[in-house]
Amino acid sequence: KTYPAGENIITQGEKGDYYYIIRSGRVSVLKKEKDGKGHDQVAVLDDGEAFGEEALIRDDPRNATCQAIDETSVLALSKKDFDRIVKSEFLENIFPEDISINTYLDDFVVIDARVTAEYEEEHIAGAINIPLEALREECAVLDRSKRYITYCLNDSRGMVAAFLLRNRGFSAKCLRG
């Protein structure tokens, strides 16, 4: 699909139905301001980058508007095909019984994908807090030689975090349960 500059590809609040990969162009990721009157630009995505996975994985409404900055061509994958092809390839789970409590900190970097206030209230000992909204930017400073476990309270943000990391070439699993 091709979108002219200024056109919304996805709109915050809508149901997620497609996953997008930018073939050419640039996309601005916009979130509504708390007062609901305007938008804050939280990211700019370029050729080869993808978006739209969070609503598909979590089965939630879109949490941001993605708007073409330039004329932008995207590859669009339906939710059904995303679940069958992409999600299964880029989402790997790990369960507490699969982790030795004595060695997990030596073997993994544990990322709490919740917002900071939730992390500060309680978290897994040794976990670092990288809220899901900041993870795309934080990937640039993470060590690709490490293995990561992501989590949140109900698995949904943890699953998206693991997906994003794996999609960018990291070894990552989502802690379930």
Side-chain angles (χ1 to χ4, degrees), residues 8-21:
N8 289 349
I9 300 169
I10 62 175
T11 302
Q12 188 170 346
E14 290 181 341
K15 178 174 176 46
D17 52 359
Y18 283 91
Y19 174 68
Y20 299 92
I21 302 169

Side-chain angles (χ1 to χ4, degrees), residues 16-21 56-57 75-90 163:
D17 52 359
Y18 283 91
Y19 174 68
Y20 299 92
I21 302 169
L56 300 182
I57 292 171
L75 303 171
L77 193 62
S78 71
K79 177 172 176 28
K80 178 182 173 188
D81 289 334
F82 173 84
D83 287 345
R84 185 174 53 86
I85 301 167
V86 180
K87 183 177 170 183
S88 63
E89 182 65 28
F90 285 99
F163 178 90

Side-chain angles (χ1 to χ4, degrees), residues 112 114-125 151 153:
D112 185 321
R114 300 175 299 159
V115 296
T116 303
E118 292 172 315
Y119 171 82
E120 288 174 351
E121 189 174 307
E122 68 175 342
H123 58 272
I124 293 173
Y151 79 94
L153 188 60

Side-chain angles (χ1 to χ4, degrees), residues 11 54 57 69 88 105 114 117 124 133 138 163 167 176:
T11 302
E54 188 170 347
I57 292 171
I69 296 172
S88 63
L105 286 177
R114 300 175 299 159
I124 293 173
E133 289 183 348
E138 294 293 324
F163 178 90
N167 194 20
R176 302 295 302 271

